[in-house]
Amino acid sequence: MQPTRLRTGGPDPRPRGGRQRIPCWFLRGGTSRGPFFRAADLPSERAARDAVLLAVMGSPDPRQIDGLGGANPLTSKVGIVGPSSRADVDLEFRFAQLRPDSDLVDTTANCGNMLAAVVPFAVESGLLVPDGDTTTARVLTLNTGLVAEITVRTPQDASGRYVEYGGDTRIDGVPGTAAPVEIDFLDTAGSVCASLLPTGDVRDRVDVPGVGSLEVTCIDNGMPLVLVNASDLGRTGRESVSALNSDRQLKDRLEALRLVCGELMGLGDVTEKNYPKMTLVSEPERGGTISTRSFIPHVCHESIGVLAAVTVATACVLKGTVAHALTTSTDATDSADISVSVEHPAGEFTVELGLDPADRQRVTRSALLRTARLIMAGEVLIPGRVRHFEEGPQ
């Protein structure tokens, strides 16, 4: 039985000392965190909504000292969730990526880590009623049309069912253990681009001004990525995050490559976009399938994003890609299901892929485990000067 949708509208924001206060839940999802809002509690008009989100996060400011942002792209994210009008979907999720030092609010790409917090948030905020010891909801990501089935544990005590956050599941990049959040992606190919392989090839040779000729794989199975062998850029792919973030030459070359590949992938001028992400790949060093260093797109990720990991894993099983050439064998089994271990700076990320038995170059599904935690629930205050509910809440 699908969870019951409860909330269809939100209250007007209440002023307090010249400030507007908005219901807000602050959650960690996977290796990211940020405030979550019910869609009904925010303006429906984009410019007004973005002004609110910038005020909430404290952008633009490198420290985000006047808001909830954490001065890092991984902690400058927002989730907006509402009930769906579609009969086959329970919840609609809009992800917003903000930057500490920018006034841009990007809602074009997905975030699989924040996606892990959507169902816990929906239960906590009254959007969903848990319907058993586990609760599964189908979530549509409005950014790209991606649909996922997400399952969380919802045991019962004397006061009713609740989201269980404690458990034994460990994910690299997050301290301790927690309850699992199971995510089953139903269709991720070509999430932003027109297809899984937007250039039509598993490998391309591109000429980059000031850099030279490089072989890359341009791929989108949930996140548009450009994969390049770290050694082709004079790096090992085992450098620390801090070393890569201070490597100005490398970052300049990656950005030049990103701009060229963005055009090839049909994304146009990506100068002001957060995608495609750039991923250095190399041979695994800790028993995994492949090693990665992921840039998002200008800062090296402390681990790797969920959908980036799914996309890298997909590249590992496609013969001819830059990634496949570096992997430990993904061809040794005839099984329709294959496990790919993506190494990253904080550990590894295991992705379960389903392959078409008749065409092992076609990935039919992907699944993984994340964890989430509610950190705070209350109201966030924004300055009264911020344009807000002039046309009323949506």
Side-chain angles (χ1 to χ4, degrees):
M1 183 177 68
Q2 295 291 344
T4 303
R5 293 189 287 269
L6 290 182
R7 185 181 177 86
T8 57
D12 291 333
R14 290 167 287 169
R16 180 170 183 166
R19 309 254 147 179
Q20 298 288 348
R21 53 186 188 176
I22 307 169
C24 174
W25 288 256
F26 200 86
L27 291 98
R28 175 184 64 77
T31 56
S32 298
R33 65 172 172 81
F36 275 73
F37 298 94
R38 294 177 296 216
D41 294 332
L42 292 176
S44 59
E45 195 271 319
R46 178 174 178 172
R49 182 201 69 202
D50 289 356
V52 169
L53 298 184
L54 288 165
V56 167
M57 300 304 283
S59 292
D61 173 64
R63 294 187 299 160
Q64 294 179 312
I65 195 66
D66 200 37
L68 297 179
N72 185 287
L74 296 180
T75 52
S76 191
K77 301 181 175 186
V78 176
I80 304 169
V81 183
S84 177
S85 59
R86 284 177 42 172
D88 62 335
V89 172
D90 299 295
L91 298 167
E92 295 181 350
F93 167 53
R94 190 181 303 279
F95 165 67
Q97 175 71 67
L98 287 83
R99 303 180 191 174
D101 56 356
S102 170
D103 63 356
L104 295 177
V105 179
D106 187 358
T107 57
T108 56
N110 286 323
C111 177
N113 276 303
M114 291 288 276
L115 180 63
V118 169
V119 174
F121 162 75
V123 174
E124 298 286 3
S125 64
L127 287 170
L128 289 178
V129 175
D131 56 2
D133 289 341
T134 63
T135 295
T136 299
R138 184 168 286 195
V139 179
L140 168 67
T141 300
L142 294 174
N143 302 51
T144 65
L146 175 151
V147 176
E149 287 187 346
I150 303 174
T151 301
V152 300
R153 292 179 180 174
T154 49
Q156 188 168 14
D157 62 14
S159 60
R161 295 198 178 276
Y162 61 94
V163 178
E164 175 60 75
Y165 295 105
D168 299 326
T169 299
R170 178 181 178 275
I171 61 172
D172 290 331
V174 177
T177 62
V181 177
E182 301 172 26
I183 305 178
D184 196 341
F185 294 108
L186 304 183
D187 183 13
T188 52
S191 68
V192 176
C193 301
S195 62
L196 175 69
L197 298 169
T199 70
D201 296 306
V202 292
R203 185 185 296 226
D204 296 280
R205 180 172 288 277
V206 296
D207 294 317
V208 183
V211 178
S213 180
L214 292 169
E215 287 194 334
V216 300
T217 290
C218 299
I219 184 170
D220 176 4
N221 197 25
M223 178 64 68
L225 294 187
V226 177
L227 308 184
V228 58
N229 191 325
S231 65
D232 289 350
L233 291 168
R235 304 302 187 272
T236 66
R238 293 173 172 78
E239 291 85 358
S240 68
V241 171
S242 60
L244 291 172
N245 278 331
S246 62
D247 191 338
R248 186 72 261 168
Q249 181 193 53
L250 173 66
K251 292 171 77 173
D252 287 345
R253 296 174 77 189
L254 283 175
E255 181 62 7
L257 176 61
R258 193 176 80 89
L259 296 178
V260 172
C261 290
E263 295 284 354
L264 289 176
M265 297 169 77
L267 299 172
D269 182 1
V270 297
T271 303
E272 297 298 329
K273 296 177 181 177
N274 287 306
Y275 56 82
K277 314 292 189 187
M278 307 301 292
T279 304
L280 303 182
V281 290
S282 58
E283 293 180 352
E285 57 177 329
R286 299 187 299 272
T289 307
I290 195 167
S291 181
T292 62
R293 295 294 186 268
S294 181
F295 287 77
I296 53 171
H298 307 116
V299 175
C300 185
H301 203 303
E302 297 285 344
S303 54
I304 189 170
V306 168
L307 292 166
V310 170
T311 302
V312 170
T314 302
C316 287
V317 302
L318 299 182
K319 292 181 179 179
T321 68
V322 170
H324 184 269
L326 295 167
T327 64
T328 55
S329 179
T330 55
D331 305 324
T333 177
D334 293 328
S335 172
D337 297 310
I338 188 168
S339 179
V340 179
S341 173
V342 179
E343 295 181 359
H344 55 74
E348 73 86 37
F349 193 130
T350 297
V351 179
E352 301 292 333
L353 296 178
L355 306 181
D356 183 345
D359 179 8
R360 293 180 63 81
Q361 289 285 88
R362 191 171 81 87
V363 175
T364 58
R365 60 175 292 273
S366 56
L368 48 90
L369 288 180
R370 294 276 85 187
T371 65
R373 184 172 82 86
L374 176 66
I375 298 171
M376 181 279 294
E379 295 174 323
V380 62
L381 303 178
I382 62 170
R385 67 178 181 275
V386 174
R387 180 180 168 216
H388 195 196
F389 286 90
E390 294 179 1
E391 83 287 0
Q394 61 180 345

